[in-house]
């Protein structure tokens, strides 16, 4: 590649003048036909060979280049009569409105004209961005009935979309032909054009009325040959054929002196074709259609929208060196790793330059070739020639010929840095750098702790992988994007990567007071967690030696680590007994020893600020935190695996006594509801402020029923065993809630649509099973049963209604928030925080004088604050 | 007609017009041209109350939930 670099300082947009169009044209297109009987392009047709080559092997008639080289060349059509460019119709209208039809001067008094000219001159120097304001004002101000220059009376101009103009005369409206419009625009002197906001050097107003139409090169609208040998033309070519055909007819008719009416009809048809050629979705006219009835995809349609040139081809590029497949979990990987299937590793490559240090290794890779894993796919010689290692049989010889300075495109292998991504990429943690681990089978594998930042689960999710190709890219990915560098989220000052689900249950079970482990169990757990070091003395020596789970966790904490906090299982008692908490929820870590408290979501969970994980990252760095997650977390999983953690429906069974109590509660609630309805019917219900009587009744009923459900849930949880797995998960924050449990065991409760009881359905009732006007709980979606007791058909139906609303809501919300995200990103993507703390655009405009007004990086903050004074004091006092 | 002093309203931040020297210092501090500051229209109620003219720079002292007090500057443009 030649290295002639130029930097673009500015871009100026203008209009193509007819002369320019003719100058850049290589051929005047005159016939609507494209190919002759032999299938050869017709000279002067739309596929004229001078417009550029599209078939491989041929040479361009204009520039002599072959397919990849020839840029394509424009042609032109001489229009028999001018037509309005529909894209500028509005501008033409404004200009016509504010200028004299006779002499073309702006319809301002001479004083005003002077004033605005002066202002415009001044603005051009000092505030060029604001010049349009003067133009706006001038256009608003031109209301003179008579031209101050030639004294002619002025008529009001009317604009009818998309391209018609009328002049209001006392005798009636007169249509202005494009020719008339063009002559008027021609008359406007350059100085007036400038006041109207155009630069006459590059955009004379009359150029908005087309007399010559550029014909894009054939490479822009290539024809395709179908398998049957039939040629199929591009939509643009079809449209151009229409234009030429009508243009020729118009020309013939004019030459033959046809009646004005016929000429005008043809002229309008030409206008229609040119308008739809630019934009086939112009409002006010029917879109031009293909023979099949499909609307044609013309110039504007090629650019616009999600599938348009901008969003699809310019902002959304496809890339090489990438892979995509289903993801699955692997707790035996480090959080920094990604498992890459062998088949993928044999296709993705990294270019490695051969040096005297790696030449032996590279030779081995070349010998292995593309099919044996640590191998190579290509060699690039210093002269730029590529050698494909797939075909030569004697790779050994090629390996021998390898020399320093060659580049080997070798397979990716363990330890290589790759970027891993899951869509939608909503925040920066959606793309993180991982280290490769080549593994058998066909899925990408990842540590479960990185599920939250990607928002990934394994119900069929797929992810993308990209291989950086340069040393710089790899270095940048390693230092800035590596998973462990992303533990702290800039969203809130806390870790976004951390324990989830079984990690939390496991940590809780392990660190509970009643967990006592034998030497064998301890050894098994620690070896599985890659622990290297001495076994601590057992916590209990007599009668047999036993270790606590807390002791094991302590082995993975830094020796000088101190922490105090409350776990998720904390009951939030009015008076906290701290170390003596009956739930063991008060976590104290002193000098790296877990003295009291259990580990659960609040302490090691993902997205928990002020947790152990947060302190580890902030005070000891990402390496320590990563090490903790790779080792201690494995301990939790090994423990829960060995112990066994499961639920069965019989565990959610309640004793008869509990069921009776729940039934009483619900019956009471039903009676209360009936009583409320009775009061309402008697007209004795008191209206709540701001509600109608009906609304008051609804709210009161909902309150009563909700209370009943809550009470039922409470009763159910009293009968649950402390060992119940679902209860443990709910308490520790691992998964599910007490409400979920209540739904399963006690009562599902009120189903709602838009926050109200279910009213829709039949006239005056929700289902035909009920009497019209029945206001009772049952008739409006209260589900008495629990999931375990099974729902009756009516309850099931109401439950489905509520469930459906939830689904629709999520669907609507995601699309709305997706669009908002797009707009925000478009607005903010080029802003950056500079070294002086300001936030600026690329051209140096200041947006904020101090990032976030306080200059704090939330990712490095303590829950949004630059310093956590409490923690500092705690530390000082402790020391 | 009595004129309402917008600065008496609690939601309107304090603002002053900078002197030539202060503007010069500001320019040096951030290494920018005046036009690279955020703009404010001369017709903005705050500019009118201050009597700021196009080309002036005004300093705005705002209450900020995160920083207590935040300072911003605006370059006055016509209109
Ligand atoms: Mg999923
Ligand atoms: Zn060419
Ligand atoms: Zn005139
Ligand atoms: Zn407590």
């Amino acid at each position: 590649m030649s290295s002639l670099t130029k930097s673009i300082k500015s871009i100026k947009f203008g209009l193509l003048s007819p002369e320019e169009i003719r100058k850049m044209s290589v051929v005047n297109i005159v016939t609507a036909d494209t190919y002759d009987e032999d299938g050869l392009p017709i000279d002067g047709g739309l596929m004229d060979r001078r417009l550029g080559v599209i078939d491989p092997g041929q040479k361009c008639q204009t520039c002599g280049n072959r397919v990849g080289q020839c840029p394509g060349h424009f042609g032109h059509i001489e229009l028999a009569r001018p037509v309005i460019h529909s894209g500028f119709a509005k501008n033409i209208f404004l200009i016509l409105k504010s200028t004299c039809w006779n002499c073309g001067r702006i319809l301002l008094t001479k004083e005003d004209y002077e004033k605005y000219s002066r202002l415009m001159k001044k603005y051009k120097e000092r505030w060029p961005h604001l010049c349009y304001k003067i133009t706006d004002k001038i256009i608003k101000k031109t209301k003179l009935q008579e031209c101050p220059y030639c004294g002619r009376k002025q008529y009001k101009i009317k604009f009818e979309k998309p391209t018609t103009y009328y002049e209001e005369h006392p005798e009636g409206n007169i249509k202005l032909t494009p020719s008339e419009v063009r002559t008027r625009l021609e008359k406007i002197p350059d100085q007036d054009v400038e006041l109207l906001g155009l630069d006459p050097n590059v955009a004379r107003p009359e150029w908005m009325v087309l007399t010559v139409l550029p014909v894009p090169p054939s490479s822009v609208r290539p024809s395709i040959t179908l398998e049957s040998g039939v040629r199929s033309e591009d939509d643009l070519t079809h449209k151009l054929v229409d234009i030429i055909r009508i243009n020729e007819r118009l020309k013939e008719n004019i030459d033959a002196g046809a009646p004005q009416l016929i000429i005008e009809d043809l002229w309008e048809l030409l206008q229609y074709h040119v308008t739809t050629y630019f934009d086939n979705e112009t409002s006010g006219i029917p879109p031009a259609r293909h023979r099949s009835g499909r609307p044609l995809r013309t110039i504007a349609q090629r650019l616009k929208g999600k599938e348009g040139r901008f969003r699809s081809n310019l902002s959304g590029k496809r890339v090489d060196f990438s892979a995509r497949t289903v993801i699955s979990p692997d707790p035996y990987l480090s959080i920094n790793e990604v498992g890459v299937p062998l088949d993928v590793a044999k296709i993705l490559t990294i270019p490695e330059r051969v040096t005297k240090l790696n030449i032996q290794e590279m030779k081995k890779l070349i010998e292995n070739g593309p099919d044996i894993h640590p191998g190579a796919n290509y060699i690039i010689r210093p002269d730029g020639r590529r050698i494909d290692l797939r075909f030569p049989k004697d790779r050994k010889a090629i390996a021998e010929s390898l020399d320093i300075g060659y580049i080997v495109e070798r397979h990716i292998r363990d330890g290589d840095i790759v970027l891993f991504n899951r869509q939608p990429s909503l925040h920066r943690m959606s793309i993180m750098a991982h280290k490769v681990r080549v593994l058998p089978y066909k899925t990408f594998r990842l540590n479960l702790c990185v599920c939250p930042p990607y928002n990934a689960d394994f119900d069929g999710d797929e992810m993308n992988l990209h291989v950086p190709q340069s040393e710089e890219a790899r270095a940048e990915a390693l230092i800035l994007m590596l998973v462990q560098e992303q533990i702290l989220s800039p969203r809130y000052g806390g870790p976004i990567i951390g324990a989830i689900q079984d990690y939390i249950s496991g940590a809780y079970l392990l660190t509970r007071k009643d967990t006592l482990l034998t030497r064998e169990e301890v050894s098994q757990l620690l070896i599985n967690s890659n622990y290297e070091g001495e076994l601590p003395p057992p916590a209990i020596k007599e009668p047999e030696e036993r270790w606590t789970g807390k002791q094991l966790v302590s082995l993975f904490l830094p020796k000088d680590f101190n922490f105090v906090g409350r776990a998720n299982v904390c009951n939030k008692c009015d008076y906290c007994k701290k170390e003596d908490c009956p739930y063991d929820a008060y976590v104290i870590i002193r000098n790296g020893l877990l003295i009291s408290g259990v580990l659960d979501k609040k302490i090691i969970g993902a997205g928990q600020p002020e947790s152990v994980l947060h302190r580890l990252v902030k005070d000891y760095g990402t390496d320590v935190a990563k090490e903790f997650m790779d080792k201690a977390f494995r301990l939790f999983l090994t423990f829960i695996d060995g112990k066994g953690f499961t639920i069965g429906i019989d565990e959610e069974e309640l004793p008869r006594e509990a069921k009776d109590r729940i039934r009483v509660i619900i019956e009471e609630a039903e009676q209360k509801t009936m009583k409320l309805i009775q009061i309402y019917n008697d007209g004795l219900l008191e209206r709540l402020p701001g509600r109608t009587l009906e609304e008051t009744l609804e709210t009161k009923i909902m309150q009563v029923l909700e209370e009943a459900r809550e009470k039922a849930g409470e009763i159910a949880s009293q009968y649950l065993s402390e060992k119940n797995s679902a209860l443990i998960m709910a308490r520790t924050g691992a998964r599910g809630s007490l409400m979920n449990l209540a739904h399963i065991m006690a009562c599902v409760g009120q189903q709602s649509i838009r926050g109200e009881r279910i009213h829709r359905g039949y006239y005056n009732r929700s289902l035909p099973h009920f009497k019209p006007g029945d206001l009772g709980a049952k008739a409006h979606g209260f589900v008495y049963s629990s999931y375990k007791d099974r729902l009756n058909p009516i309850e099931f139906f109401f439950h489905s209604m509520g469930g459906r609303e939830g689904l629709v809501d999520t669907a609507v919300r995601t699309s709305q928030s997706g669009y908002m995200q797009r707009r925000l990103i478009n607005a903010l993507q080029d802003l950056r925080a500079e070294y002086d703390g300001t936030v600026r655009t690329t051209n140096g405009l200041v947006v904020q004088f101090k990032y976030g007004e306080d200059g704090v990086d939330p990712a490095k903050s303590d829950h949004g604050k630059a310093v956590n004074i409490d923690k500092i004091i705690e530390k000082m006092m402790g020391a | 007609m009595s004129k309402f002093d917008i600065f008496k309203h609690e939601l309107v931040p304090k603002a002053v017009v900078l002197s030539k020297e202060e503007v010069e210092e500001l320019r040096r501090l951030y290494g920018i041209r005046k036009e690279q500051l955020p703009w404010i229209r001369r017709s903005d109620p705050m500019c009118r109350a201050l009597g700021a003219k196009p080309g002036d720079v005004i300093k705005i002292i705002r209450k900020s939930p995160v920083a207590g007090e935040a300072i911003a500057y605006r370059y006055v443009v016509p209109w």
Side-chain angles (χ1 to χ4, degrees):
Chain A
M1 223 180 277
S2 69
S3 59
L4 181 74
T5 45
K6 288 185 175 181
S7 65
I8 296 170
K9 207 170 153 201
S10 63
I11 298 175
K12 186 167 189 172
F13 290 97
L15 301 174
L16 281 178
S17 71
E19 294 89 81
E20 252 175 303
I21 295 171
R22 286 193 195 98
K23 217 163 74 191
M24 70 182 196
S25 161
V26 292
V27 52
N28 181 10
I29 311 289
V30 287
T31 61
D33 303 312
T34 48
Y35 297 95
D36 60 20
E37 306 88 57
D38 305 326
L40 291 171
I42 295 171
D43 279 355
L46 277 168
M47 284 295 161
D48 192 299
R49 270 168 296 202
R50 283 165 287 182
L51 294 174
V53 276
I54 33 174
D55 301 310
Q58 285 185 323
K59 266 191 181 169
C60 173
Q61 292 228 322
T62 302
C63 66
N65 285 314
R66 288 177 196 284
V67 166
Q69 259 58 48
C70 167
H73 312 278
F74 272 91
H76 76 280
I77 298 170
E78 293 284 347
L79 297 173
R81 285 282 162 91
V83 291
I84 307 282
H85 189 310
S86 58
F88 299 109
K90 187 84 191 280
N91 302 283
I92 294 173
F93 168 61
L94 292 175
I95 295 169
L96 285 179
K97 211 173 73 157
S98 41
T99 52
C100 168
W101 60 270
N102 181 49
C103 69
R105 301 302 303 263
I106 296 178
L107 293 170
L108 286 173
T109 61
K110 286 184 180 163
E111 300 84 72
D112 276 348
Y113 186 87
E114 273 306 303
K115 190 178 100 190
Y116 287 124
S117 299
R118 264 200 325 266
L119 257 181
M120 186 62 110
K121 212 176 138 207
K122 190 170 141 196
Y123 272 41
K124 277 225 165 108
E125 272 166 32
R126 293 196 61 187
W127 295 289
H129 296 271
L130 290 171
C131 286
Y132 76 97
K133 288 272 182 193
I134 299 179
T135 305
D136 286 356
K137 193 136 191 183
I138 290 172
I139 288 169
K140 250 186 227 139
K141 220 170 173 189
T142 49
K143 286 207 179 87
L144 289 186
Q145 300 288 316
E146 201 173 88
C147 174
Y149 299 92
C150 68
R152 293 298 185 84
K153 187 174 167 14
Q154 301 299 315
Y155 303 97
K156 205 174 164 200
I157 309 273
K158 268 184 66 182
F159 171 46
E160 203 169 80
K161 273 182 180 173
T163 48
T164 335
Y165 305 95
Y166 294 98
E167 203 166 45
E168 284 181 2
H169 284 263
E171 315 87 74
N173 289 354
I174 296 175
K175 196 180 151 191
L176 297 178
T177 62
S179 302
E180 168 66 16
V181 171
R182 197 167 199 280
T183 40
R184 287 189 186 188
L185 296 175
E186 278 166 3
K187 284 178 196 157
I188 306 171
D190 277 357
Q191 49 183 15
D192 289 21
V193 168
E194 237 166 287
L195 277 186
L196 290 170
L198 301 174
D199 177 353
N201 297 312
V202 295
R204 280 287 314 175
E206 66 268 23
W207 298 343
M208 297 179 190
V209 182
L210 300 163
T211 54
V212 186
L213 189 70
V215 174
S218 42
S219 51
V220 169
R221 42 187 179 85
S223 51
I224 350 167
T225 321
L226 297 173
E227 265 176 67
S228 55
V230 183
R231 252 215 179 83
S232 168
E233 295 299 334
D234 190 90
D235 281 6
L236 271 193
T237 310
H238 278 300
K239 205 62 233 178
L240 285 164
V241 167
D242 290 341
I243 292 173
I244 295 165
R245 206 170 274 150
I246 300 303
N247 193 45
E248 290 304 309
R249 278 221 343 248
L250 181 58
K251 209 184 286 169
E252 282 160 22
N253 275 284
I254 293 168
D255 291 344
Q260 195 58 32
L261 218 62
I262 291 177
I263 290 178
E264 261 171 37
D265 273 358
L266 282 172
W267 195 352
E268 249 170 59
L269 199 54
L270 182 66
Q271 175 74 65
Y272 168 79
H273 283 308
V274 173
T275 304
T276 50
Y277 167 69
F278 287 124
D279 183 359
N280 202 15
E281 281 162 11
T282 316
S283 59
I285 50 169
R289 285 172 192 281
H290 200 252
R291 253 169 309 179
S292 62
R294 170 182 66 85
L296 291 175
R297 209 174 135 78
T298 52
I299 294 174
Q301 279 67 50
R302 281 192 177 197
L303 309 176
K304 268 186 200 164
K306 204 173 182 173
E307 262 96 69
R309 201 90 320 140
F310 291 104
R311 274 176 75 179
S312 172
N313 303 100
L314 292 166
S315 335
K317 290 195 188 98
R318 312 261 136 185
V319 293
D320 287 339
F321 305 105
S322 61
R324 178 185 177 93
T325 183
V326 176
I327 52 167
S328 48
D330 189 342
Y332 286 94
L333 291 179
S334 160
I335 56 164
N336 280 336
E337 286 179 314
V338 60
V340 179
L342 189 64
D343 295 304
V344 170
K346 285 196 284 195
I347 291 168
L348 296 178
T349 59
I350 283 180
E352 189 159 333
R353 177 158 255 121
V354 178
T355 65
K356 64 180 180 217
L357 293 173
N358 68 4
I359 188 158
Q360 284 315 318
E361 185 193 350
M362 290 299 131
K363 279 182 178 168
K364 181 82 190 89
L365 295 181
I366 293 164
E367 269 176 52
N368 280 346
D371 299 321
I372 299 169
H373 175 254
N377 291 356
Y378 286 95
I379 303 170
I380 303 163
R381 299 201 314 210
D383 63 5
R385 276 270 306 277
R386 292 177 76 90
I387 304 166
D388 191 335
L389 294 176
R390 270 175 304 181
F391 305 119
K393 283 171 198 74
D394 191 15
R395 280 198 294 269
K396 200 141 199 160
I398 295 180
E400 278 319 305
S401 74
L402 191 71
D403 208 348
I404 288 160
Y406 280 48
I407 293 167
V408 177
E409 295 204 323
R410 48 154 259 249
H411 294 159
I412 54 169
R413 56 185 180 198
D414 289 3
D416 282 334
I417 297 295
V418 292
L419 302 185
F420 203 37
N421 163 235
R422 181 183 177 275
Q423 282 106 355
S425 313
L426 295 176
H427 54 194
R428 73 180 195 203
M429 292 81 74
S430 290
I431 306 178
M432 293 190 285
H434 289 248
K435 290 179 179 169
V436 169
R437 272 284 286 280
V438 180
L439 297 173
Y441 310 121
K442 312 248 174 206
T443 57
F444 285 138
R445 254 132 306 160
L446 45 103
N447 184 295
L448 288 120
C449 295
V450 292
C451 285
Y454 289 122
N455 191 20
D457 49 34
F458 306 105
D459 60 1
D461 290 26
E462 292 182 54
M463 284 180 72
N464 303 323
L465 185 123
H466 299 268
V467 186
Q469 297 287 303
S470 70
E471 275 81 16
E472 291 99 312
R474 280 195 290 272
E476 202 166 80
L478 188 68
I479 292 166
L480 300 172
M481 301 174 72
L482 191 67
V483 174
Q484 71 176 57
E485 304 305 327
Q486 302 295 327
I487 297 173
L488 293 185
S489 164
R491 268 218 335 253
Y492 44 79
I496 193 172
I497 296 171
I500 50 167
Q501 306 198 358
D502 271 10
Y503 285 110
I504 293 169
S505 309
Y508 170 77
L509 293 174
L510 178 70
T511 53
R512 259 188 346 189
K513 274 182 184 153
D514 58 359
T515 302
L516 295 171
L517 304 156
T518 64
R519 180 174 286 268
E520 285 71 34
E521 287 170 327
V522 167
S523 310
Q524 188 65 49
L525 287 170
L526 290 181
I527 201 107
N528 234 322
S529 318
N530 285 335
Y531 174 71
E532 284 167 11
E534 294 293 315
L535 215 57
I540 298 168
K541 294 188 185 73
E542 295 292 330
E544 277 167 78
E545 45 179 25
R546 288 285 185 275
W547 282 261
T548 64
K550 289 190 173 79
Q551 280 184 292
L552 301 196
V553 174
S554 304
L555 295 176
F556 298 97
L557 292 168
K559 291 296 154 256
D560 55 348
F561 182 58
N562 290 296
F563 177 88
V564 177
R566 286 192 176 83
N568 203 59
V569 292
C570 176
N571 210 23
K572 306 197 177 69
C573 327
D574 295 332
Y575 171 73
C576 187
K577 291 190 215 152
K578 301 208 166 170
E579 288 97 320
D580 305 317
C581 176
Y583 305 100
D584 201 14
Y586 199 75
V587 179
I588 301 173
I589 297 171
R590 204 169 290 145
N591 294 324
L593 293 176
L594 180 57
I595 291 170
S596 88
V598 290
L599 300 190
D600 64 14
K601 185 173 164 200
K602 278 264 175 63
I603 308 298
I604 54 162
Q608 300 295 321
E610 285 307 298
S611 61
V612 163
L613 222 48
H614 191 184
R615 298 297 356 143
L616 283 179
V617 193
K618 282 217 64 169
D619 300 342
Y620 296 88
T622 53
D623 280 333
V624 170
K626 173 231 153 203
E627 212 54 16
F628 186 72
M629 276 194 254
D630 284 348
K631 291 185 171 168
F633 281 23
R634 200 121 103 211
L635 179 70
F636 305 148
L637 280 195
T638 315
F639 181 72
I640 201 176
D641 273 1
K643 192 179 168 66
F645 192 73
T646 177
I647 53 171
I649 34 170
D650 55 326
E651 282 170 67
E652 274 62 50
E653 179 69 67
L654 288 176
R656 163 123 267 133
E657 178 202 345
K659 280 189 173 169
D660 288 343
R661 282 178 64 192
I662 290 170
R663 199 168 56 234
V664 171
I665 296 274
I666 289 175
E667 269 164 18
E668 271 171 20
E670 194 166 26
Q671 255 146 41
K672 266 193 214 162
T673 314
M674 297 311 284
K675 210 184 279 165
L676 278 170
I677 295 169
Q678 189 61 46
I679 297 172
Y680 166 77
N681 285 337
D682 297 345
L684 295 171
L685 193 70
E686 228 168 284
R687 214 161 56 81
L688 286 172
R691 304 268 172 95
T692 65
L693 214 53
E694 285 72 26
E695 282 167 357
T696 309
L697 179 67
E698 281 299 315
T699 339
K700 290 214 160 156
I701 292 175
M702 298 251 295
Q703 266 169 19
V704 167
L705 294 175
E706 181 55 30
E707 248 168 55
R709 212 215 79 243
E710 255 166 44
K711 269 192 210 150
E714 260 165 49
I715 291 169
S717 63
Q718 284 165 20
Y719 288 88
L720 272 177
S721 139
E722 282 301 307
K723 280 183 266 174
N724 184 291
S725 300
L727 186 69
I728 289 175
M729 290 195 289
R731 290 241 182 95
T732 56
R735 197 72 221 247
S737 63
L738 287 174
M739 197 170 90
N740 292 146
L741 266 173
H743 282 315
I744 295 170
M745 300 190 302
C747 168
V748 175
Q750 183 66 54
Q751 298 302 303
S752 69
I753 284 176
R754 295 194 188 159
E756 283 172 13
R757 298 202 298 162
I758 292 170
H759 299 293
R760 62 174 65 163
Y762 292 80
Y763 181 67
N764 259 345
R765 54 192 164 159
S766 51
L767 281 174
H769 311 70
F770 304 109
K771 289 207 177 101
D774 183 353
L775 286 170
K778 205 177 241 165
H780 288 276
F782 188 80
V783 179
Y784 292 84
S785 319
S786 65
Y787 287 129
K788 175 122 201 307
D789 291 339
R790 280 114 72 229
L791 274 57
N792 70 40
I794 294 169
E795 290 176 329
F796 181 78
F797 187 80
F798 286 137
H799 185 254
S800 309
M801 289 174 80
R804 170 76 112 262
E805 189 191 43
L807 291 181
V808 171
D809 266 18
T810 8
V812 171
R813 258 207 313 279
T814 42
S815 69
Q816 278 177 350
S817 62
Y819 184 42
M820 188 175 98
Q821 170 93 2
R822 227 187 101 70
R823 287 176 332 207
L824 277 173
I825 299 273
N826 276 332
L828 301 177
Q829 59 188 355
D830 294 324
L831 301 187
R832 79 178 209 186
E834 300 286 347
Y835 285 103
D836 64 357
T838 57
V839 179
R840 302 195 191 198
T841 63
T842 38
N843 36 35
L845 293 173
V846 178
V847 176
Q848 268 185 341
F849 289 89
K850 201 162 193 196
Y851 173 75
E853 292 190 337
D854 56 2
V856 171
D857 175 356
K860 299 197 173 72
S861 73
D862 246 302
H863 213 13
K865 292 272 177 291
V867 281
N868 187 337
I869 293 180
D870 293 343
K871 281 282 161 201
I872 292 172
I873 292 171
E874 209 168 81
K875 214 175 214 172
M876 302 310 286
M877 304 300 273
Chain B
M1 199 178 76
S2 74
K3 214 174 131 209
F4 176 69
D5 181 0
I6 58 164
F7 291 109
K8 290 225 172 98
H9 194 284
E10 93 149 359
L11 293 178
V12 178
K14 270 187 276 173
V16 285
V17 180
L18 290 190
S19 69
K20 273 240 152 53
E21 298 75 46
E22 287 170 317
V23 172
E24 210 30 58
E25 206 187 311
L26 181 74
R27 288 204 325 95
R28 261 205 311 273
L29 178 64
Y30 289 111
I32 50 171
R33 283 172 279 114
K34 281 199 286 186
E35 307 84 70
Q36 287 175 299
L37 293 169
W39 291 4
I40 190 170
R41 285 187 194 178
R42 191 240 287 271
S43 59
D44 189 284
M46 190 183 282
C47 284
R48 278 195 274 174
L50 289 170
K53 287 179 295 299
D56 284 348
V57 173
I58 60 177
K59 175 184 185 175
I60 300 166
I61 303 137
R62 296 195 197 118
K63 277 186 226 158
S64 160
V66 285
E69 203 169 70
I71 293 171
Y73 300 92
R74 290 282 130 109
Y75 174 57
V76 183
V77 296
W79 233 270

